[in-house]
Each structure stands twice: as structure tokens, then as C-alpha cells.
Amino acid sequence: MKYNGIMTALVTPIDDRGIVDAESLQNLIQFQLKNNVSSLLVLGGTGEYSALSNAERQRAIDITVQEVNGKVPVVAGIIAPGIGDAIEFGLYAKCAGVDAIMPVTPYYVSPTQEGIMKYYQDLDTALDMPMFLYNIPYKTAVNLQPETVEYLVEKIPNIIGIKECSPNLGQFIDLTRRVGEKIYVLSGEEFLAMSEMVLGAHGAVMASANLVPDVWVKMWEHLQKGSVQEAVKLNTAYYPLFRAIFKEGNPGPLKTAMNMTGLLVGNVSTPLLHPSTETVNELTKVMKQLQLCN
């Protein structure tokens, strides 16, 4: 499996009862495949993992694997704070046929780097499958240090990549220096992705690719051809859209924007809220300028 390029962090279409809308998820997946994304992440933070019941998480996995049908790699997010839940869901995802998992660093308990090392080693022992690390320190309150990643990559052959969401470009450079030739290093931040891909990222895991997968794929393709300025122009043109999408809690504005285009994905789950009138107005203005809606 190859994971370079654009991985879309799928939203999960759900109804007011918190039930996964199978038809809408299938439509979203087909939209992504049509626009040539490299891989799909189901049930990450953008997929509202923490809001869904375990049964609905399992349904989302099953629907995604069946609909993709091997056309691109499917990665299952695991946003669990504890090892027990992570192993339980990881085993289900493995049996369901996902190609890899992406467990976030354990949160709430604020583990040490040594604790994080043991966490991923215990996960690997229990699951024995391809794994992406996931570092998002502004959500978990713990930062997965580059030297820790290097240690884990040396100890766990199943680690094939990392989604890096640290806002520190220096850390990103250090990360690629240490492990960039051993695993897939993917940017996870819309506002840093362009810079990080120029600096050596093998691609990006993008929430906004739900809405504009073609734009991100074109940016990636421009960079592979050495057309950096063309990629920068696209990134600059769509910056106002990315800014509006992340103006409030993700994926609230993103789901609203997708619904505006006719790609129906429902609303967000509690405690997230439908975006404010101000944000909706900003989205509408930007999307009309980009000809994404009428």
C-alpha cells in the first residue's frame, strides 16, 4: 500500500439520533474516489469518533471498507484515551479489512514520552497490523517528540507513517530528518500542509479535502512536478475557504459547507454546534467566489 499524496479525513454523515447515514457516506466515498485521492481516513477527529457509539463506529468502518472495495487504502482512526478501548476497536477494524490504523497519542492522562512508547508497543503487540502514529498536541495536551517517533519506528516495524499536527515547523523538519526516509510523514494541518510538503512531507491528511479533494490533489501534483508556484497560487486562492471552515469547531463549518454544495452529510453531534450566522455568511461568500455553490 502507498500512502503518499492526499488522504481525506472523512466526515461521518449522521442523523439527529447519532446514526450513520450509509447512503450519504457511500456518496461521499465515491466523490472522493472520483477526484483521485490517494487514501481515506475513516473515524478520525473530523469523523466525530468520540461522539459515536461503538456500534455506529463499527458500521462506519464496514460501510467504508465495502464501498472502497480495495480501490485505495482505508485507514481507521482510533481516538481513544485508553489502551483497552484502542485494542478493542483496533481488532474490529482489522477484522473488518482496513489497511491500517491511526491511533492518536493517549490523552487526558498526560503520559510521559516513555508512557507513549509503551502505549504504542502494547497496541502493536495486540493488533500486529500497519499503524500510523498521530500527533496533535493542541488536542491531547501531550507532544509526541521526534526522537520518540524515531525510537518507535526502530522498535515497531508495523509503524508505516505519522500524521503530524504540531504547529512547530522546526519540529516537523526534525521529524522528517529522523524518519522521513523510513515512514510516510504526512502533514495534518491545512495552514501548514503546503509548507510541510515542500519541506519533505509525503502528503497530507486533510479535512477540507472532503469538500475540495480536487484542489488538494492538484496542489500535490503540482509539487511533484516541481511547479511550486502553481501549487502556492492554488493554496492562496483557497485560503479564505480553509479559514472559514476552521473558524469554529471542526467539522461544524465543514459539514455546513458540504451541505451547501449538495453533498449532504447531516449536522454535527453534541457538544458541537451548527456554525454561527457570521460563519455561515462567510462560508457562503467565499464559496460563491470560488464557484462552489450558487
Side-chain angles (χ1 to χ4, degrees):
M1 290 290 176
K2 294 184 178 180
Y3 294 90
N4 53 307
I6 302 303
M7 180 188 296
T8 302
L10 293 170
V11 304
T12 305
I14 52 178
D15 64 21
D16 293 338
R17 301 167 297 163
I19 304 299
V20 175
D21 182 334
E23 183 178 358
S24 294
L25 180 53
Q26 290 164 341
N27 290 339
L28 173 58
I29 290 167
Q30 289 303 322
F31 175 65
Q32 296 297 315
L33 296 176
K34 180 180 178 181
N35 283 282
N36 299 314
V37 298
S38 300
S39 52
L40 295 171
L41 170 64
V42 59
L43 293 177
T46 299
E48 297 178 84
Y49 178 103
S50 59
L52 297 174
S53 69
N54 205 44
E56 291 307 306
R57 292 174 192 149
Q58 293 175 359
R59 283 191 67 231
I61 291 285
D62 293 339
I63 293 165
T64 302
V65 170
Q66 291 167 15
E67 190 66 24
V68 171
N69 194 27
K71 295 181 179 70
V72 298
V74 174
V75 181
I78 302 179
I79 316 297
I83 189 72
D85 288 342
I87 290 173
E88 181 180 358
F89 189 69
L91 288 172
Y92 184 89
K94 180 179 181 178
C95 291
V98 303
D99 299 292
I101 55 171
M102 185 183 288
V104 75
T105 50
Y107 51 92
Y108 186 76
V109 294
S110 299
T112 63
Q113 296 298 297
E114 290 77 13
I116 294 173
M117 291 174 189
K118 188 172 189 307
Y119 178 79
Y120 282 116
Q121 288 173 310
D122 287 354
L123 268 182
D124 179 64
T125 299
L127 302 179
D128 188 24
M129 67 181 299
M131 182 192 311
F132 278 83
L133 306 176
Y134 181 13
N135 185 39
I136 184 164
Y138 58 84
K139 293 281 190 180
T140 62
V142 60
N143 185 26
L144 184 58
Q145 300 288 348
E147 54 268 30
T148 302
V149 176
E150 184 177 31
Y151 172 87
L152 288 168
V153 169
E154 290 174 355
K155 295 294 183 182
I156 305 175
N158 278 327
I159 293 177
I160 59 171
I162 181 171
K163 178 185 178 183
E164 177 59 61
C165 294
S166 167
N168 185 333
L169 273 178
Q171 176 168 312
F172 185 85
I173 293 169
D174 191 23
L175 181 65
T176 58
R177 181 181 68 85
R178 291 173 181 270
V179 300
E181 295 183 359
K182 300 175 183 177
I183 64 171
Y184 292 98
V185 179
L186 304 179
S187 174
E189 293 292 308
E190 262 77 356
F191 303 111
L192 294 177
M194 176 61 61
S195 299
E196 291 179 342
M197 287 190 289
V198 170
L199 288 168
H202 300 94
V205 186
M206 295 286 94
S208 59
N210 281 279
L211 179 63
V212 287
D214 56 326
V215 173
W216 280 108
V217 170
K218 286 176 185 175
M219 279 193 265
W220 172 251
E221 290 175 346
H222 281 314
L223 291 174
Q224 299 319 290
K225 296 174 185 176
S227 303
V228 177
Q229 288 305 313
E230 293 302 314
V232 170
K233 285 180 184 177
L234 263 181
N235 190 66
T236 301
Y238 281 82
Y239 167 77
L241 176 64
F242 303 151
R243 181 182 61 192
I245 285 174
F246 291 100
K247 192 170 183 177
E248 297 180 28
N250 183 51
L254 174 58
K255 278 191 164 183
T256 296
M258 294 171 72
N259 290 329
M260 288 165 61
T261 68
L263 194 62
L264 303 180
V265 292
N267 209 336
V268 289
S269 55
T270 304
L272 295 174
L273 299 172
H274 184 76
S276 65
T277 300
E278 178 185 355
T279 296
V280 172
N281 289 342
E282 183 175 339
L283 275 171
T284 303
K285 179 181 177 181
V286 171
M287 291 176 67
K288 284 182 177 179
Q289 290 172 343
L290 294 171
Q291 299 183 335
L292 294 173
C293 70
N294 297 322

